[in-house]
Amino acid sequence: MSGSAADREPGIPLENGKEEASGPNITCAGDNSKHDPTVCTGNTEIKSRAVVKYSAAPPPTSYALLQEKTDLKLPPANWLRENPQLGSAGTTILGSSSKSKPFSSFGMAYDFIDCIGDDVDVVSDSENIKKLLKIPYSKSHVSMAVHRVGRTLLLDELDIQELFMRSSQTGDWTWLKEFYQRLIDQKWQRKKKSKEHWYQKAILSKFLYYSINGNGAAEPVPDNLNEGEEENGGEQFSSSWPTAFNSTPPDAEESHASKQESVSVDSKFALGQVTSVQNVQEQNLLKLFDEGENSQGLRNDFVRNIMWTFEDIHMLVGSNMPIFGGGRYPAVSLRLRDNNKPINILTGIDYWLDNLMCNVPELVMCFHVNGIVQKYEMIKTEEIPHLENSTFSTRVVKDIAQNILSFLKSNCTKEGHTYWLFKASGSDIVKLYDLTTLCEEAEEEKCQNPFTLPVAVLLYKVASNLMLKARQNRKPYGTIRTLLLNCVKLLDQERHPQIIASAHYMLSELFQLDEPPEEDGEESLRAGGSEDSYSDEDREEEEEDLIEDSDENGSYANCSSPQNDSKAVAVIRSVGELSVPEKYTSTHQIRPSCTFPVSQDKEERCRHVLSYVLKGLKAVDGSLKKESDLPAADPNIPIPLQYEDRSTMGACAAEKGISLLLERAGPVQADQKHPTRSGMIPGSWQHRMKLQLFLKASKAYYVLSDAATNLLKYGRALRYIKLSLQCYDAYCSVSGTLNPQVLQFHSQCLSLCGDIQLMLAQNASNRAAYLEEYSYQTKEDQEILHSLHRESSCQAFNMATDLAMDPEYQLFVSSKCYEAAYELLVSEALKDQAPDQLAQVHKRLGNIRNEMGVYYMNQSAAMQTENEVKKSVSTAEQEMWKKSFAFFEKGMKDFEAIGDNTNTALLLCNTGRLMRICAQAHCAVSEDQCRGEFSPEEALYYNKAIDYYLRAMKSLASRESHPAVWDSVNWELSTTYFTLATLLQDYAPLSRKAQEQIEREVTDAMMKSLKYCDLQTESARQPLYQYRAATIHHRLASMYHSCFRNQVGDEHLRKQHRSLAELHYNRAVSLFISLKDAPCELLRTLLERVAFAEFTMAGQSSSVAKLKSLTGALEIMTDTRYAFKLIHKELQEEQIELSGPDQAESAETSDVATDPTSGLNLEEVIKLIGVFEPSFSFLLLQIIKLLTTMKRKPSKKDEELLKTYKNVYSKLLRAEKNAPLISRVKLYMELLQQLTTETEGDDAGTNS
């Protein structure tokens, strides 16, 4: 062996007593390789590698070579004194039993949770490993408890006789005793250890102490005293099983206290580490047993914990074998042999395995005769299998190990179950029983199985460790869930509420509430733990086992009919099968699917969380000794979620609710010093657990509320956010101080509550459905509420979460929720910690203030429509305006604070609309529905509206920033200018202003409105812009037409008005024609143009000029054909849409019949036709007169035109006045077509 033992076992262990050191590997003789993990055994090689994970022993010192004839019967001066070189083997070698403790593997498991993940197959005492590997060679009995955690098996010796001794005193395990006696069909007896046994142990102990201190004086000790010590000590310490689970011996406590200082934090029970919200102080593992359980046997008392890889089997073993320096290698093991007894195969395997596990390359054998030292012999580890009388095949030992492991893994499949591997003395049959199933069949309580609690704690600790570990940012959720469910299944809630509550909390933590969990189908937990207690087994027993069964603790008889044992899970028919290579193969896959069995549905995930939270709360509540002062509540009676109609609620009550809301939202509260309402002591595990469970429930209900909001189920959403805030209220009642993360989450809850109340206000039509959703409660919700009521009245947020019937109150509550959320985020506790969330709350505040401004604005507009006769503005209207304006102002400040120019522009736009409503309110309407002149107040508010719209345009800067908002503001601005100009024109304030000034103001407003008519951009508003532009041109043309008619004296001004009128008439006509859906407007404009031409003709004296003007007017009249064509088309479509012949007939006979679905105003059409017919007749008559009375001889063309005019005029006069409208329109189209043809022909002839 190359390298010293000090490399593996330093004198000063690493921090917390753990070390990660790999000793040199055993190599072939003459091979200097330091890394080849191979043991040469003749023609075969066995791979073995040992890594010391923990060592409590100092570096090995050289052993003292005893002189020949040294009498080992005499004790050395240092005998039985505590010595770190020997560890526990030195101080207790005389008195302790050779059997390992029943829970030895669990102690190692607790200490090495991280280490034994996927790679460890077995955790056990090295003595148990050796006993299993010697099964085919030994006649002695085997009795072991097997537990499974993932793919790791925990092996512990199960001393049946010790259990039966205990059962006769305590009444426990009586079912197993009865089962065993039925199975064996023979009474058991307990043998006392022989005097020879204690003699051999005594001289071995003295030999080891002599080897440490060779110069110590061997003072004689009286024989009777020695014997008395040996026998009494043997009886006192022979019991390896804990006497009871209700007391801890003082020496065990002291030992544990000293050990605790050197154990790493991995071995501590961390209750609060599984949560990301509260960093709760870790609790020591022993606190799990403060309800009466003993921790004896659950400690890792081994001198060394070694990770041993034997071929492909990875084992965590505990060993107490003393290791010395000296010889050719710095590390050797010392053995004492009787020179009269040869080494047999069992002893050889034992020595060989011990050296392999501890990575010791050489064995020093001291031979004695009757306690007198004879000689020493050095044997290399790889030579042990070839010793005389002890020859064995290492390959067979390897096959035995692999077969046993495969057999156990294939049959010990249920986590949490205790399996019993049993072989009777002298029998070749090995059986495996499921003691947990047998216990259930016997209707025994869980506590009847002493392994239940250690197994449950181990499952819990492994799950806790996995929760703390993130593997590539993914946690093996399925594995953790399986571990925790098995843990909970094993425990009794009344006895172990803390573990159960914590396990249920961790189960709730597995569910990701904000996103679907990733499937974890491949990762499975392979973690176990082992604590082992090494005892230096007396080799003489095993030597005797070759010949006959002489077990010290009792006699095990062969099973009378093993083949008929139906209770066994599995049976090895013959131990010889274990030597056959690959006789047993492990095909069973533990947890074949670790896919987390959770739906992608968010609500279902939350329901899983709440179910686990409820179970955790029940465990905590059940553990509280003090009864609550509350009257007994029946969980089957629902707690009503009240709703109130707040429309009549006084301001005082509302303000009280708000003050409660803000008080609960406050970040700082006094520390809890007194017991809570339910009797919990602050700082207790119940207190910490309830805090986490309440917060988890609050978050789950928040997610449910958010999901319901997205589904537009606002009644359900309000119910869930109410439950969430009730959980938070209970949390506040229990918690002394609120940390920033909790306050930040609370602000999110308040924001969501504000969102829901806003949505309820906006969807008042579905209030009945929302009320039904709000009133529904599941039994789970009721039980959680009852648990909450143990700590709090849960009334603090009623104002925010009650379902009101008044939209105004709902908007008010929504704004208060946002304000409370804002106050939290700007408080000292959260200042500058959540800028994104603060920006969102700012935006919500701006939005709700906009909504409230719009609400009051609409209320004032509704008041206007109710008052038919308006002489003055009411006080109520003015109050509405003030409220609306104040909310718009606050909203703008909120959006400006976060630089949201788009929403700022929208609020400016809404404020502009408010100003227009104010302007409309100042319009005086008399009793006869006639309004007066355009008032100065109207002008003032319209100009204010224009200012707000211009500010909105400035806020947006350009259309590219937000095209939709830009177009909206642009349209409103154009509309305001147009409305202002129209009112000025139609209701001119002639009593205050001159006509010329009014005309200038109208022209200015019209042109500005025209400026903002976006005729180029293709959008939904483009036809509206075109119609408005056409209307503006038409109104301007009409105004200039009127000025032209009324202007007297200034000829230059008259000409200017005439040219402007013609310009605007032309533009209006072209725009109306392009619209194709405004025939009435087009017809009216053309008729006004004809009237304008007629008025021009009236001032002319010469016949030629008059004829020219009349001809021009008639050409304008022929343009009306397009308008009549559009009208005729719409009338035809109306007729087609009529379903019955009777309706069609009535439509033919009724000139004023109007289809409500049609856009054609028939009354307007008839009115325009009433203007068209006289004007058309007048033009034709005047032209006929002029052509007839012309002095010059008419040309042939003139005669044809005259004939056409007369023909058209004649038809027009003979037309039936009572004919259907569609017929009259068709006649006009034909007459105008006839004139158009003649005119075009005349023009062609003239051009030619």
Side-chain angles (χ1 to χ4, degrees), residues 288 395 409 695 713 796 1116 1139 1233:
L288 289 175
R395 178 61 60 184
K409 282 201 170 186
L695 194 60
K713 302 288 185 181
I1116 295 171
S1139 56
Q1233 177 65 35

Side-chain angles (χ1 to χ4, degrees), residues 25-28 35-40 44-49:
N25 301 303
I26 300 173
T27 59
C28 302
H35 304 289
D36 181 18
T38 303
V39 179
C40 291
T44 60
E45 293 182 347
I46 296 297
K47 296 178 181 177
S48 174
R49 186 171 187 266

Side-chain angles (χ1 to χ4, degrees), residues 147-252:
H147 297 90
R148 180 155 207 156
V149 178
R151 66 181 290 264
T152 302
L153 298 175
L154 279 71
L155 305 179
D156 297 281
E157 180 156 0
L158 186 60
D159 190 341
I160 294 295
Q161 305 302 330
E162 181 68 27
L163 282 181
F164 294 167
M165 288 288 291
R166 182 182 172 212
S167 71
S168 61
Q169 301 171 4
T170 64
D172 295 342
W173 293 85
T174 55
W175 59 273
L176 183 59
K177 181 176 180 180
E178 293 172 0
F179 168 74
Y180 176 76
Q181 289 177 340
R182 285 199 314 272
L183 178 70
I184 305 301
D185 196 23
Q186 181 178 339
K187 291 183 179 181
W188 60 273
Q189 298 177 3
R190 183 176 184 84
K191 288 185 178 180
K192 289 187 177 181
K193 294 175 181 171
S194 63
K195 189 174 182 179
E196 176 66 17
H197 163 77
W198 294 113
Y199 167 74
Q200 294 295 339
K201 292 189 76 69
I203 64 170
L204 172 61
S205 174
K206 294 168 187 175
F207 166 69
L208 290 174
Y209 276 96
Y210 272 122
S211 299
I212 295 172
N213 184 7
N215 299 323
E219 300 176 0
V221 179
D223 291 344
N224 58 352
L225 178 62
N226 288 343
E227 292 174 6
E229 282 181 1
E230 291 168 5
E231 291 188 9
N232 293 337
E235 289 300 320
Q236 180 179 355
F237 294 102
S238 64
S239 173
S240 64
W241 196 266
T243 55
F245 267 74
N246 52 17
S247 64
T248 303
D251 58 339

Side-chain angles (χ1 to χ4, degrees), residues 970-985:
N970 198 67
W971 170 257
E972 295 295 336
L973 183 56
S974 173
T975 301
T976 307
Y977 275 124
F978 178 72
T979 305
L980 175 63
T982 302
L983 292 173
L984 269 173
Q985 189 176 16

Side-chain angles (χ1 to χ4, degrees), residues 792-833:
S792 168
S793 61
C794 301
Q795 301 295 316
F797 299 101
N798 277 3
M799 189 277 298
T801 55
D802 283 347
L803 180 59
M805 296 288 108
D806 178 23
E808 179 183 358
Y809 184 78
Q810 288 173 327
L811 290 173
F812 169 76
V813 169
S814 178
S815 68
K816 291 303 174 184
C817 287
Y818 292 141
E819 288 171 12
Y822 174 77
E823 292 297 329
L824 275 177
L825 292 173
V826 297
S827 64
E828 286 299 322
L830 289 181
K831 197 171 184 180
D832 302 327
Q833 289 194 20

Side-chain angles (χ1 to χ4, degrees), residues 263-324:
V263 173
S264 76
V265 293
D266 291 339
S267 65
K268 294 184 179 180
F269 168 64
L271 171 69
Q273 284 185 333
V274 296
T275 174
S276 60
V277 179
Q278 297 268 96
N279 292 324
V280 183
Q281 290 290 332
E282 293 181 350
Q283 297 189 353
N284 189 277
L285 177 61
L286 275 183
K287 292 188 179 180
L288 289 175
F289 310 102
D290 60 3
E291 298 168 22
E293 292 81 1
N294 192 325
S295 63
Q296 180 180 353
L298 293 174
R299 303 194 310 274
N300 185 357
D301 286 334
F302 295 106
V303 174
R304 291 172 204 83
N305 298 130
I306 301 163
M307 188 65 72
W308 181 40
T309 303
F310 185 60
E311 283 292 307
D312 57 348
I313 303 173
H314 304 283
M315 291 176 269
L316 179 63
V317 297
S319 173
N320 288 328
M321 183 179 76
I323 298 177
F324 295 85

Side-chain angles (χ1 to χ4, degrees), residues 897-941:
I898 57 175
D900 191 340
N901 295 330
T902 302
N903 280 315
T904 304
L906 280 173
L907 263 76
L908 286 166
C909 191
N910 281 338
T911 311
R913 184 178 161 220
L914 175 64
M915 296 298 108
R916 285 162 60 191
I917 290 175
C918 294
Q920 292 168 12
H922 284 86
C923 163
V925 180
S926 61
E927 294 182 3
D928 58 355
Q929 298 297 312
C930 296
R931 65 155 288 162
E933 291 183 350
F934 185 66
S935 65
E937 290 82 6
E938 288 181 89
L940 172 66
Y941 282 113

